[in-house]
């Protein structure tokens, strides 16, 4: 692998252990005396718990303990919380209903945890769980957000009258009304952003161990941010004092946002370990994942856009109902508010915007951030509107967008965001050329001769990554800071350990972070180790989500590297009897510029630790830490163009071409960036064509609770993507990078749906555009 710098296409270091079965996941963890857990979950969407009979279950073979919500509450374990405070437009705080890790007297969705069974084996735990007898009094349930607001709807939480969590506004309503009053054309659209199940490859898991001798807890968990998990479990859930709790997130098989949050199972396994005196492991089966992982999206929106006679946008009105499920998950309130409405300006210069968001309880699984988190929902609204507007106005979709692009930076939008840099026309031009947009008419005519409907659609997205700065998000209601930390340890022989608060669960940090160090000091990547995911090893960090690992996590590493470099140069200058300003680092050595005087990197490291010949007053060692709090978000952007062909007899939609032109700023490893884009595109196309979560509206049962009913995208559903990048460096961080992990999932759904509606000749279809839906819509072509 050798010395690989910034911009090199380096194969991922971590892949060797993954593809050879060497990964270590929570389910691989075994500790002495470990036992297994199964949860008894509610079979009803809404019910009161009348009675729990444990007599048969306790007599089952291998059972060690069965614990209920009443016992948990008696021990002082707290309720789960939402960590971002939102106030309604009248100033009242959001209405957060109580969420006990184990239900005490009422269950509010199918899958709500009621009790835990601990037994010698997983099978014994499950058998005993099935023997538990619970008597419920079933209540009426509601699964749709709009229905939950209706008079007479079931009341889910006493704290939230009419199931309304908050009624929130952003933007200037008066200015927006005035813009619409002088508009020449107004385009309206009703939009549904379908609910999704995250479906990470590795199901959630937790292993809790209580050490009675040390009065200390250890939790192995499938987490994207172990330090936040420790903080919340100690400060709010009263599981253990922070200094008595270690949280380890080893290899994690995908997260997509769903593993940011603290779930009941981690809390209960830790508590159960102390109660039973044995380590307790729980691993979800796939049905549990469908039922209880935080779902994504689930917005219904009415949007209107006003244009003047020259087709310039005057204003935008958006009214959204956000279904948050039965409880407020950790960051659920931020997703439909500050991660959504703040991006409604898109790439466009829109003078006036007003958004209203109503967040609503229903008897469904909690909803929280899922890959893109609010940004896909905003982009879908805006880009479906822009494409529809182009059709209604009779103008070219790319040229309508180009006419309204923001072209001068920095640009302050009417909805908080200040875009620092961008070149939206460059991405548009790159996509148009790669897609041969001008030649589409010929391809459409040829498809017609074969009885096929061909359509083309585009999407120009912008997203905000690396949510920051901490003071700003704190003023908007965030319960934590959103900085990142890093520590760089140079060992005595010159090898380097980077301890990062970021967490890798598919992003390739072990490669890109090592590239950063290799580029700086000229040492082989094999001599760089990346350490993360353990609160006892790594200083406090905020984890990985929102495409923040590069812009925030790597910037913290850069700050620490700066300090290491400065000290190393001082040592080298002293040893070489030169001025510090003349020292340069090249090819793994420190040199006096313009001379042949040089000292290898490892000798400088050794000198730092032997401390035989250091500058006067210098401390021994070569280890530095840093915290980095960004000054602004970063703003990746791009243009996606999708081309589809529909068989009107079957409704089958084939994506025949997909072009993605992104601007991620400077790029550390193009190969990893392309992989991130490919994955995001697969998820976005999955949402557009295949994936949709469905609840029975009468009973509240999850209909799509397995892969038999929930359709995931497969390789043959996807084309070979044509991806490229343009580069506008981000001025707000030392590397000039932006973030790439969510872009594909943000920009692709509207591009696909714009192509399908173009082929059909009308807008009357919603995601997922399944063959049945498309077939029915094609009948009206």
């Amino acid at each position: 692998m050798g010395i690989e710098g910034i911009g090199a296409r380096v194969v991922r270091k971590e892949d060797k252990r993954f593809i050879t079965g060497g990964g270590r996941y929570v389910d691989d963890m075994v500790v002495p005396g470990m036992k297994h857990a199964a949860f008894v979950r509610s079979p009803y969407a809404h019910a009161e718990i009348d009675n729990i009979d444990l007599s048969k279950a306790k007599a089952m073979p291998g059972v060690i303990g069965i614990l209920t919500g009443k016992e948990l509450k008696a021990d002082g374990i707290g309720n789960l919380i939402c960590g971002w405070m939102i106030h309604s437009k009248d100033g009242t705080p959001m209405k957060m209903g109580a969420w006990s890790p184990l239900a005490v007297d009422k269950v509010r969705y199918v899958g709500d945890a009621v009790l835990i069974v601990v037994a010698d084996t997983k099978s014994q735990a499950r058998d005993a769980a099935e023997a538990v007898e619970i008597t419920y009094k079933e209540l009426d349930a509601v699964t749709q957000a709009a229905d939950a607001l209706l008079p007479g709807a079931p009341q889910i939480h006493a704290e939230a009258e009419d199931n309304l969590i908050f009624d929130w506004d952003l933007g200037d309503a008066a200015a927006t009304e005035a813009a619409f009053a002088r508009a020449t054309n107004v385009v309206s659209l009703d939009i549904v952003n379908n609910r999704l199940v995250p479906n990470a490859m590795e199901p959630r898991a937790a292993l809790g161990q209580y050490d009675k001798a040390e009065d200390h807890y250890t939790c192995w968990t499938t987490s994207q941010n172990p330090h936040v998990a420790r903080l919340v479990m100690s400060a709010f859930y009263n599981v253990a004092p922070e200094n008595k709790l270690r949280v380890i997130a080893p290899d994690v098989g995908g997260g997509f946002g769903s593993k940011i949050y603290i779930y009941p199972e981690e809390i209960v396994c830790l508590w159960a370990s102390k109660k039973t005196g044995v380590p307790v492991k729980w691993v979800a089966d796939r049905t549990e994942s469908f039922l209880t992982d935080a779902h994504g999206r689930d917005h219904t929106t009415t949007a209107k856009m006003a244009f003047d006679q020259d087709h310039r946008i005057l204003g935008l009105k958006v009214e959204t109902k956000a279904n948050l499920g039965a409880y407020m998950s950790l960051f659920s309130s931020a997703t439909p508010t500050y991660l959504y409405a703040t991006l409604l300006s898109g790439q466009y210069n829109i003078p006036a915007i007003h958004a209203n968001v109503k967040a609503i309880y229903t008897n469904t699984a909690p909803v929280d951030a899922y890959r893109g988190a609010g940004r896909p929902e905003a982009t879908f609204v805006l880009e479906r509107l822009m494409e529809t507007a182009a059709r209604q106005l009779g103008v070219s979709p790319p040229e309508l967008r180009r006419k309204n692009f923001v072209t001068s930076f920095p640009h302050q939008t009417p909805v908080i965001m200040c875009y620092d840099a961008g070149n939206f026309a460059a991405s548009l031009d790159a996509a148009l050329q790669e897609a041969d947009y001008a030649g589409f008419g010929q391809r459409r005519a040829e498809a017609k001769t074969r009885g096929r409907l061909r359509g083309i659609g585009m999407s120009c997205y912008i997203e905000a990554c690396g949510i920051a700065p901490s003071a700003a998000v704190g003023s908007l209601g965030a319960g934590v800071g959103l900085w990142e930390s890093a520590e760089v340890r140079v060992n005595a022989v010159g090898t380097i350990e980077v301890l990062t608060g970021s967490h890798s669960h598919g992003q390739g940090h072990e490669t890109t972070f090592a590239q950063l160090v290799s580029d700086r000091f000229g040492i082989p990547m094999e001599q760089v180790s990346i350490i993360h995911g353990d609160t006892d090893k790594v200083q406090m960090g905020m984890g990985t989500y929102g495409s923040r690992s590069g812009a925030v996590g790597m910037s913290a590493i850069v700050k620490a590297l700066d300090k290491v470099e400065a000290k190393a140069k001082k040592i080298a200058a002293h040893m070489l009897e030169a001025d510090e300003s003349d020292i340069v680092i090249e090819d793994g050595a420190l040199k006096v510029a313009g001379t042949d005087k040089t000292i290898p990197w490892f000798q400088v490291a050794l000198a730092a630790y032997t401390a035989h010949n250091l500058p006067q007053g210098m401390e021994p060692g070569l280890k530095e830490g840093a915290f980095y709090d960004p000054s602004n978000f970063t703003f990746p952007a791009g243009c996606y163009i999708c081309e589809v062909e529909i068989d009107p007899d079957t409704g089958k939609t084939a994506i025949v071409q997909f072009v993605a032109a992104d601007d991620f700023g400077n790029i550390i490893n193009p190969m990893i960036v392309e992989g991130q884009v490919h994955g995001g595109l697969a998820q976005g196309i999955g949402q557009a064509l295949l994936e949709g979560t469905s609840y029975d509206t009468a009973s509240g049962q999850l209909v799509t609770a397995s892969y038999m009913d929930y359709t995931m995208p497969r390789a043959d559903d996807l084309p070979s993507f044509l991806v490229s990048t343009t580069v506008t460096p981000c001025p707000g961080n030392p590397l000039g990078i932006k973030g790439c992990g969510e872009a594909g999932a943000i920009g692709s759904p509207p591009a696909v749906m714009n192509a399908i509606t173009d082929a059909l000749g009308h807008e009357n279809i919603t995601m997922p555009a399944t063959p049945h839906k498309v077939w029915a819509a094609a009948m009206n072509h």
Side-chain angles (χ1 to χ4, degrees):
M1 189 170 285
I3 300 169
E4 299 287 358
I6 293 173
R9 299 178 66 88
V10 182
V11 174
R12 299 195 337 166
K13 290 174 61 177
E14 50 269 66
D15 282 351
K16 182 178 179 181
R17 77 170 186 273
F18 291 141
I19 64 177
T20 58
R24 298 198 69 212
Y25 302 89
V26 174
D27 196 26
D28 295 316
M29 302 300 163
V30 176
V31 297
M34 185 182 77
K35 306 302 179 184
H36 298 266
F39 284 85
V40 174
R41 301 184 182 277
S42 170
Y44 297 107
H46 200 197
E48 294 174 352
I49 301 172
D50 273 355
N51 184 60
I52 299 175
D53 185 349
L54 304 178
S55 56
K56 291 181 181 178
K58 286 182 175 180
M60 297 284 285
V63 172
I64 293 166
I66 302 177
L67 304 171
T68 67
K70 289 183 178 179
E71 293 169 90
L72 180 133
K73 288 299 165 189
D75 284 351
I77 302 299
N79 292 326
L80 283 85
I81 62 161
C82 177
W84 195 303
M85 172 56 70
I86 297 294
H87 288 83
S88 289
K89 59 187 179 184
D90 64 3
T92 58
M94 64 189 188
K95 308 301 190 293
M96 185 165 58
W99 184 6
S100 173
L102 294 175
V104 177
D105 51 18
K106 192 176 184 182
V107 291
R108 293 177 172 87
Y109 73 102
V110 175
D112 211 350
V114 178
L115 57 82
I116 184 175
V117 177
V118 180
D120 289 332
T121 68
K122 184 184 295 187
S123 296
Q124 288 173 332
R126 289 181 174 178
D127 288 345
E130 291 182 4
V132 172
E133 296 179 353
I134 303 178
T135 304
Y136 295 94
K137 178 184 178 182
E138 189 173 5
L139 305 173
D140 290 339
V142 62
T143 62
Q144 301 298 313
D147 295 341
L149 291 178
L150 295 175
Q155 183 73 30
I156 298 171
H157 289 280
E159 297 88 343
E161 186 178 353
D162 298 326
N163 300 313
L164 183 64
I165 302 169
F166 55 76
D167 182 357
W168 178 86
D169 274 5
L170 184 66
D172 189 328
T176 305
E177 288 294 338
F180 272 77
R182 64 178 185 272
T184 304
N185 294 284
V186 174
V187 177
S188 302
L189 207 58
D190 292 325
I191 295 167
V192 176
N193 206 296
N194 44 320
R195 179 184 281 236
L196 302 173
V197 176
N199 279 305
M201 187 176 294
E202 178 199 19
R204 288 190 298 113
L207 167 57
Q209 182 180 33
Y210 175 68
D211 183 335
K212 184 176 181 180
E214 298 289 338
D215 188 28
H216 186 275
Y217 297 78
T218 303
C219 178
W220 289 264
T221 180
T222 47
S223 174
Q224 297 176 218
N225 46 356
H227 281 97
V228 174
R230 183 177 72 159
L231 171 65
V232 173
M233 285 196 286
S234 62
F236 298 100
Y237 305 153
N238 303 321
V239 175
E242 199 170 10
N243 64 317
K244 294 287 188 178
L245 175 59
R246 179 185 186 184
V247 176
I248 303 170
D251 290 328
V252 173
F256 313 123
S258 69
K259 293 175 181 172
I260 296 172
Y261 325 113
I262 289 55
Y263 289 88
E265 291 84 6
E266 296 100 307
I267 301 166
V268 175
C269 283
L270 282 168
W271 168 71
S273 177
K274 183 174 184 179
K275 294 288 284 186
T276 60
V278 298
V280 176
K281 180 198 275 188
W282 166 81
V283 180
D285 61 32
R286 188 55 69 177
T287 296
E288 281 184 294
S289 296
F290 273 99
L291 287 170
T292 66
D293 286 3
H295 292 177
R297 315 290 191 248
D298 207 344
H299 284 193
T300 56
T301 295
T302 297
K304 298 179 180 180
M305 185 174 280
F307 291 86
D308 68 13
Q309 62 185 7
D310 296 321
H311 302 150
R312 295 192 184 277
I313 305 170
L314 296 175
L316 174 67
K317 293 181 188 177
V318 175
E319 295 183 359
T320 294
K321 294 181 177 69
N323 186 341
L324 295 193
Y327 302 103
M328 295 191 74
S329 180
L330 191 62
F331 292 118
S332 59
S333 58
T335 302
T337 54
Y338 291 113
L339 298 181
Y340 165 65
T342 56
L343 272 299
L344 284 171
S345 192
Q347 297 187 8
Y348 310 112
N349 187 359
I350 305 179
I353 299 174
H354 180 254
N356 173 259
V357 178
K358 293 180 175 65
I360 301 154
Y361 284 121
T362 63
N363 295 114
T364 63
V367 176
D368 211 320
Y370 170 68
R371 197 170 191 170
R375 283 72 57 89
E377 295 91 321
T379 299
F380 194 76
V381 168
L382 201 57
E383 290 306 295
R384 285 289 291 120
L385 265 179
M386 289 298 286
E387 200 85 358
T388 303
R391 294 166 187 167
Q392 293 185 9
L393 297 173
V395 298
S396 158
E399 294 315 309
L400 180 64
R401 289 172 167 88
R402 190 189 304 275
K403 175 175 283 192
N404 287 282
F405 277 160
V406 172
T407 56
S408 177
F409 298 89
H411 173 80
Q412 179 62 55
T413 75
V415 280
I416 296 179
M417 293 298 181
C418 182
Y419 301 160
D420 53 9
N423 186 346
F424 305 145
S427 297
L428 174 63
D429 290 338
L432 290 172
Q433 181 175 344
E434 186 67 46
D436 184 21
Y437 194 88
F440 171 71
Q442 186 176 353
R443 298 192 295 278
R444 170 177 266 174
E446 187 279 328
K448 187 175 181 179
T449 66
R450 295 182 282 107
R452 298 292 189 264
L453 305 177
R454 198 161 180 127
I456 195 166
M458 64 170 34
S459 167
C460 293
Y461 77 89
I462 189 168
E463 63 163 321
C465 300
I467 305 171
S470 295
V473 297
S475 70
L476 299 177
V480 294
L482 293 171
W483 43 265
E484 196 47 86
S485 71
E487 185 179 338
V488 176
R489 297 176 181 173
V490 182
N491 298 317
V493 293
T495 58
I496 296 177
E497 298 169 5
V498 177
L499 293 86
T500 172
S502 299
H503 186 275
S504 182
H505 39 275
Q507 292 85 354
H509 293 173
E510 292 176 39
T511 304
T512 51
F513 289 12
Q515 276 183 260
L516 191 62
V517 178
S518 179
D519 183 83
R520 175 68 74 97
F521 297 136
I523 64 172
M525 288 179 61
E526 293 85 349
Q527 295 182 19
V528 182
S529 298
I530 309 300
I531 300 166
H532 66 95
D534 187 335
T535 61
D536 270 15
K537 292 182 179 179
V538 180
Q539 64 189 4
M540 178 74 177
M542 300 312 296
T544 293
Y545 41 85
S547 301
R548 72 191 305 271
S549 297
V552 188
M554 293 183 80
S555 293
I557 295 172
V558 167
K559 287 188 68 176
L561 291 174
D562 289 343
K563 297 176 183 180
V564 169
E565 179 179 330
K567 186 170 183 179
K569 284 182 174 179
K570 284 184 170 67
I571 296 170
H574 179 73
M575 297 174 71
L576 296 170
E577 298 180 340
D579 191 273
E580 183 185 331
S581 63
D582 292 330
I583 301 296
V584 295
I585 301 178
E586 295 176 353
D587 304 323
L590 288 89
K591 305 175 181 179
V592 180
T595 74
D596 60 357
K597 296 174 70 175
T598 181
I599 182 170
W601 171 259
F602 79 89
Q603 287 191 10
V604 174
L606 187 62
Y609 286 97
T610 59
H612 294 163
N613 185 21
L614 293 177
Q616 183 69 32
M618 177 179 281
E619 294 180 355
L622 194 52
K623 179 186 79 168
E624 299 289 348
F627 288 78
Y628 177 74
D629 196 355
S631 59
N632 193 6
F633 293 77
T634 69
F635 297 98
C639 178
Y640 292 172
I641 299 178
C642 176
E643 198 165 327
V644 302
E645 205 168 87
I646 294 171
D647 181 345
D649 293 331
T650 65
K652 173 68 175 176
T653 301
I655 297 178
V656 293
Q657 179 176 266
F658 200 104
V659 171
D662 296 289
D663 181 354
F664 298 133
N666 295 330
I667 291 174
I668 306 299
N669 186 321
M671 185 183 300
I672 286 179
V673 168
E674 289 166 11
Q676 289 289 307
V677 173
H678 286 190
L681 292 177
Q683 285 182 285
I685 291 169
Q687 175 177 14
L689 293 182
L690 303 165
E691 297 184 53
T693 307
S694 177
Y695 283 89
D696 181 82
T697 54
S699 68
Q701 293 292 327
L702 180 62
V703 177
T704 50
S706 77
Y707 291 131
M708 293 293 289
D709 302 296
Y710 188 98
T711 309
M712 296 287 286
R714 302 178 302 182
D716 62 354
D717 293 312
L718 306 171
S720 292
F721 302 121
L722 302 173
V723 301
S724 64
T725 55
T726 59
V727 177
T728 308
C730 173
N733 62 66
L735 290 167
I737 58 180
K738 295 183 179 180
C740 67
E742 297 166 296
I746 292 169
S748 55
V752 174
M753 294 306 293
N754 285 338
I756 290 173
T757 52
D758 180 55
L760 294 172
H762 61 80
E763 312 298 333
N764 300 323
I765 189 168
T766 59
M767 295 189 294
T770 61
H772 181 266
K773 282 187 185 177
V774 173
W775 174 80
M779 300 293 287
N780 299 320
H781 177 68

